[in-house]
Amino acid sequence: IAISMGRTPHVFPSGMLMAIDITQERGLSHLDYKYLDGAPICRFPLFSSLEPLPMDWMYLVYVVMFLGSVGIMLGLFYRLSCLMFIATYWYVFFLDKTAWNNHSYLYGLIGFQLTLMDANRYWSLDGLMKPKKRNADVPLWNYTLLRVQIFIVYFIAGIKKLDADWVEGYSMSYLAHHWLFEPFQMILSVDQVSLLVVHGGGLALDLTAGYLLFFDATRPFGIVFVSYFHCMNSQLFSIGMFAYTMLATSPLFCYPDWPRRFFARFPAPLWVLLPITAPGPQPSSSCVYPEVQKGGKKPRFRHKLATVFAFIYVVEQFFLPYSHFITQGYNNWTNGLYGYSWDMMVHSRSHQHVKITYKDGTTGEVGYLNPGVFTHSRRWKDHGDMLKQYAVCLSANLPRYNITEPEIYFDIWVSINERFQQRIFDPRVDIVKADWSPFRPNPWLMPLLVDLSPWRTKFQEIESSLDNQTEIVFIADFPGLHLENFVSEDLGNTSVQVLQGQVTVEITEENKNYTLETGQQMKLPHGAYHKVYTVSEGPSCYMYVYVNTTEAALQQNFTRLLGIQERVRNGTETEPLPPELLPLIATDDQGSEVNATDPVVQLFLRRQRRMKEVKKRREANVMERLNRFTVKKYYLLRRGFLMTSIALRNLAFGLPPVDQLTREVAFANMKEPLQEANQDGPLKEEAGHGEL
């Protein structure tokens, strides 16, 4: 039965999370950095003609979105609030593809669904003002649609994880090193944690979560498992409010009257402040009842229309994740538009080499651009549609630097799920003039060398045979192409070894060529350029092996300084310390770092301070973690509120004098205590989990 009696879904948590998300992942707190008026910024909207409004007006857009989410939360002018939210949300969503992900898409879908639902019937301000809406039934299809949507998020994500890379443990192998998985490492090795817990556990949970939540007998277990899963995700990834949003959706699978039964357990004196628990809900014209109950009537046209809509919507949501045969121009080693396919965390990437070459169309002059110039985003490197937009934007900006009719070429090397580093786009194609269509395969996309995937097992064997100071990079290239590379002075004992195929190595300064077959290797001069040409009929595979001599020497010095420091502290050091080593025994770590004259000693003390801070944060109790979290969020919300106030004032009364505006922005930019604020990035890098 598509239309029947039900209870209203309580949307207070959803609206609250939407409001909080606006200040964070939607970017209100740093809106002025994102939409710089008049700056030569390359943007990546869904439609190239879509432009952002002037910055102060963009703040107004966010205010409308925020007010809409608050209206949804309170059930105040509910339908208007939903329209305010989804109109502005989808505008911001389409305005920037670099911010797209599955959960951003999910928020927009839920906002759209709520617009069509009667979610303001229970404990809402609209219900207080309009007796007909107060405590009224809602159609059962409201629940059905929301439940099916969340089921799809889990189940399709699980289906996408049946990909061989996920099942074999290559997609998210780095997660096993995170401290959250340390309890599992007490009984399993890191590789086993990656394969069985990260990949196996993630696959099993996604495939079963929807079913566990649906049935009465398994629902308690399902809520426990998904709650643990989302709490871990909130610490593993920077995914905004998604983990908390999914936590808030779990009660949707409970019986519709659970809020009544829950609040009825509270003491009677508190009932005045809580949602009503009696009398029961009143009939609603939105519902169709059995003839024996509440004077049932036949379905009207709008009831039938709602049934048809719900059915079509569910079918469409199951179809879209597999509709990539339509949007073929977006399939760049990913699934379609990478925002509605629920292929969450299926792909991990690393970039080894990014080169942008321009050529003056009039003079033929060739030059190079800093990757990422004219844009804040790094996501363009992986998607052909964004690369096309970026190239067109660069061609429009370069003439102001006396480069006429520029041609733009990209040489981007990517490793996906621990494969060889390989080119993703053809470096011989001028992307400005290149053809691209969303409905045809990308003609200048280089194919993923999936036939070389079995080499990943060999990679692990090779890497395990090396010492800690030796590093290695695996390269695969196409016939007729070459890689130009530079060996830094810091890299000693660098060599290239062929694993498959045939290559010719050209030493540029020596003007000599060396041909290498499978299994052969040669040493490369440091401080010089070389080129590696693939001359075999099929792709070539080779690896660079090198030692970062500067880093190795630094680690040796760190070991020596640590030994001196320990001997001084335990009283076994008999020789007096030279002046440059005296900061090692200072009690104030930060002050000793500043006073250190030897740069190696300064780096050593800085590293020790960071490691102590990492340990302190990991061992922090609940109150310390809560305080750190609260302070961080306070300054985030504070800046968003103050900058919004400035923008609205500017729209209402015009721009103030520059000095006044400068002072206001400086006040809004006030940071949390310096010691806390400046260490987050370095700490992540020191801990080895900067990508988390």
Side-chain angles (χ1 to χ4, degrees):
I1 301 176
I3 305 294
S4 181
M5 180 180 67
R7 303 289 186 267
T8 179
H10 180 43
V11 297
F12 183 89
S14 298
M16 181 178 64
L17 291 171
M18 289 175 178
I20 297 174
D21 178 75
I22 289 169
T23 63
Q24 298 187 72
E25 195 167 358
R26 294 317 114 206
L28 178 62
S29 62
H30 55 274
L31 200 63
D32 51 324
Y33 295 112
K34 190 172 184 178
Y35 300 104
L36 297 173
D37 287 343
I41 298 296
C42 295
R43 306 187 189 279
F44 305 93
L46 178 61
F47 308 105
S48 297
S49 59
L50 191 63
E51 293 286 341
L53 299 173
M55 188 172 64
D56 287 341
W57 286 98
M58 286 303 300
Y59 273 102
L60 181 60
V61 168
Y62 275 71
V63 168
V64 173
M65 192 193 315
F66 180 80
L67 293 177
S69 63
V70 172
I72 294 173
M73 177 179 70
L74 300 176
L76 177 63
F77 305 118
Y78 175 74
R79 206 74 64 186
L80 175 62
S81 296
C82 288
L83 291 173
M84 290 168 58
F85 177 79
I86 64 169
T88 51
Y89 185 92
W90 283 103
Y91 168 66
V92 172
F93 183 80
F94 288 143
L95 201 57
D96 185 14
K97 287 183 292 187
T98 66
W100 281 21
N101 49 44
N102 284 278
H103 57 268
S104 298
Y105 172 64
L106 176 65
Y107 297 161
L109 292 180
I110 292 178
F112 169 70
Q113 293 173 33
L114 292 177
T115 305
L116 305 176
M117 295 177 180
D118 297 335
N120 61 334
R121 300 300 193 255
Y122 184 57
W123 205 27
S124 69
L125 295 181
D126 283 347
L128 291 177
M129 296 184 293
K130 299 179 180 179
K132 288 185 178 180
K133 293 183 178 181
R134 186 184 311 158
N135 198 27
D137 282 329
V138 299
L140 185 59
W141 70 266
N142 286 196
Y143 282 98
T144 302
L145 212 58
L146 288 170
R147 287 168 174 168
V148 170
Q149 184 67 75
I150 302 305
F151 174 85
I152 287 174
V153 173
Y154 285 119
F155 187 69
I156 299 299
I159 295 295
K160 293 302 182 83
K161 286 181 174 63
L162 291 174
D163 178 79
D165 284 2
W166 184 276
V167 173
E168 295 174 10
Y170 290 110
S171 296
M172 293 283 126
S173 60
Y174 65 88
L175 287 183
H177 297 277
H178 196 276
W179 63 267
L180 280 173
F181 295 98
E182 289 179 357
F184 298 100
Q185 295 175 16
M186 297 174 64
I187 56 175
L188 299 172
S189 66
V190 173
D191 291 339
Q192 290 173 328
V193 170
S194 175
L195 183 62
L196 300 178
V197 180
V198 176
H199 293 89
L203 172 62
L205 187 136
D206 279 337
L207 286 176
T208 61
Y211 296 102
L212 292 175
L213 292 171
F214 184 79
F215 295 104
D216 292 348
T218 58
R219 188 173 301 119
F221 301 101
I223 291 178
V224 170
F225 289 148
V226 299
S227 298
Y228 179 71
F229 175 73
H230 293 305
C231 288
M232 288 188 67
N233 282 343
S234 69
Q235 300 300 310
L236 286 171
F237 307 107
S238 299
I239 50 177
M241 302 305 297
F242 178 59
Y244 309 105
T245 301
M246 293 304 291
L247 284 172
T249 62
S250 294
L252 284 172
F253 292 86
C254 300
Y255 284 96
D257 63 345
W258 74 264
R260 292 178 179 276
R261 292 186 284 110
F262 174 74
F263 290 115
R265 298 175 181 271
F266 283 76
L270 297 178
W271 288 356
V272 179
L273 304 175
L274 297 175
I276 58 176
T277 58
Q282 63 173 322
S284 170
S285 60
S286 299
C287 297
V288 176
Y289 301 93
E291 301 223 356
V292 296
Q293 185 180 10
K294 297 186 180 181
K297 299 179 181 180
K298 292 183 178 181
R300 300 178 184 177
F301 174 75
R302 67 189 183 102
H303 297 142
K304 297 177 180 179
L305 185 63
T307 305
V308 173
F309 164 77
F311 177 78
I312 292 176
Y313 181 85
V314 170
V315 171
E316 176 258 354
Q317 283 299 304
F318 274 105
F319 167 74
L320 273 180
Y322 299 97
S323 64
H324 311 310
F325 63 91
I326 299 175
T327 55
Q328 299 179 65
Y330 293 98
N331 296 338
N332 297 331
W333 298 357
T334 62
N335 295 320
L337 276 170
Y338 47 82
Y340 61 81
S341 56
W342 312 118
D343 57 336
M344 294 175 281
M345 304 302 171
V346 175
H347 302 117
S348 62
R349 297 169 178 266
S350 64
H351 297 82
Q352 184 69 26
H353 180 72
V354 178
K355 182 171 73 173
I356 305 177
T357 306
Y358 70 82
K359 181 179 179 181
D360 191 306
T362 303
T363 65
E365 176 189 358
V366 174
Y368 303 95
L369 299 176
N370 182 29
V373 65
F374 298 123
T375 182
H376 297 314
S377 174
R378 296 179 293 178
R379 205 167 180 179
W380 54 267
K381 295 181 289 188
D382 297 322
H383 304 284
D385 57 312
M386 294 189 199
L387 199 76
K388 176 66 176 179
Q389 290 175 311
Y390 189 38
V392 172
C393 178
L394 290 176
S395 69
N397 282 303
L398 288 180
R400 67 181 65 181
Y401 298 94
N402 298 322
I403 302 171
T404 58
E405 300 180 8
E407 302 172 5
I408 309 293
Y409 302 88
F410 294 90
D411 193 13
I412 302 174
W413 293 74
V414 183
S415 169
I416 184 171
N417 294 345
E418 301 186 22
R419 288 179 173 84
F420 280 102
Q421 290 281 341
Q422 67 153 95
R423 288 183 167 96
I424 186 171
F425 304 112
D426 193 333
R428 300 164 294 189
V429 175
D430 173 17
I431 305 300
V432 178
K433 300 183 179 65
D435 181 48
W436 182 86
S437 168
F439 306 112
R440 294 193 301 272
N442 192 336
W444 29 273
L445 172 69
M446 308 297 285
L448 178 62
L449 296 172
V450 292
D451 293 341
L452 301 177
S453 298
W455 272 96
R456 289 180 292 190
T457 304
K458 185 66 174 176
F459 295 167
Q460 296 173 352
E461 296 176 2
I462 295 174
E463 290 173 339
S464 63
S465 66
L466 302 175
D467 58 53
N468 294 332
Q469 295 181 352
T470 303
E471 300 183 38
I472 194 166
V473 178
F474 298 97
I475 303 291
D477 204 2
F478 296 90
L481 296 178
H482 72 274
L483 169 65
E484 183 178 14
N485 210 346
F486 178 80
V487 179
S488 171
E489 295 282 357
D490 294 331
L491 305 182
N493 198 24
T494 301
S495 64
V496 59
Q497 179 177 339
V498 179
L499 301 174
Q500 179 178 304
Q502 185 181 45
V503 302
T504 296
V505 180
E506 176 188 350
I507 307 301
T508 307
E509 291 185 356
E510 299 177 3
N511 198 22
K512 291 182 179 180
N513 295 335
Y514 303 88
T515 300
L516 302 179
E517 305 282 349
T518 300
Q520 294 182 329
Q521 63 177 333
M522 67 171 290
K523 189 173 181 180
L524 298 171
H526 56 80
Y529 281 94
H530 67 272
K531 297 178 181 179
V532 182
Y533 296 85
T534 297
V535 295
S536 53
E537 294 183 0
S540 66
C541 308
Y542 52 94
M543 62 181 181
Y544 284 99
V545 183
Y546 60 94
V547 175
N548 191 324
T549 53
T550 301
E551 183 177 351
L554 190 61
Q555 289 297 328
Q556 290 178 355
N557 284 325
F558 281 179
T559 302
R560 179 178 63 87
L561 293 175
L562 181 62
I564 294 174
Q565 190 180 61
E566 291 180 348
R567 290 196 300 271
V568 170
R569 289 177 177 176
N570 60 30
T572 59
E573 179 65 38
T574 58
E575 298 293 331
L577 294 182
E580 65 271 14
L581 297 183
L582 290 178
L584 292 175
I585 58 175
T587 55
D588 180 10
D589 291 338
Q590 189 169 2
S592 60
E593 175 191 321
V594 174
N595 295 328
T597 57
D598 190 312
V600 175
V601 174
Q602 191 177 51
L603 286 174
F604 171 76
L605 294 173
R606 186 181 305 167
R607 178 176 178 270
Q608 279 196 316
R609 180 167 57 86
R610 290 174 180 172
M611 292 177 67
K612 287 181 180 179
E613 186 64 27
V614 169
K615 183 179 180 181
K616 179 182 176 181
R617 292 197 176 195
R618 285 190 178 182
E619 297 176 352
N621 57 41
V622 175
M623 292 304 300
E624 290 173 338
R625 291 174 182 268
L626 180 61
N627 178 68
R628 190 164 63 232
F629 175 84
T630 304
V631 169
K632 181 178 179 180
K633 297 306 178 185
Y634 164 75
Y635 282 97
L636 194 71
L637 296 173
R638 176 184 180 275
R639 189 180 195 280
F641 174 79
L642 291 176
M643 293 300 296
T644 301
S645 302
I646 294 172
L648 295 181
R649 190 274 318 276
N650 294 344
L651 290 175
F653 304 106
L655 287 172
V658 176
D659 291 344
Q660 178 184 342
L661 190 60
T662 301
R663 290 193 302 270
E664 292 173 345
V665 174
F667 181 70
N669 286 336
M670 185 184 299
K671 300 289 185 181
E672 55 190 294
L674 188 64
Q675 185 175 359
E676 291 286 330
N678 288 345
Q679 291 180 359
D680 192 55
L683 283 172
K684 289 182 178 179
E685 181 180 351
E686 185 70 34
H689 296 294
E691 71 275 10
L692 300 183

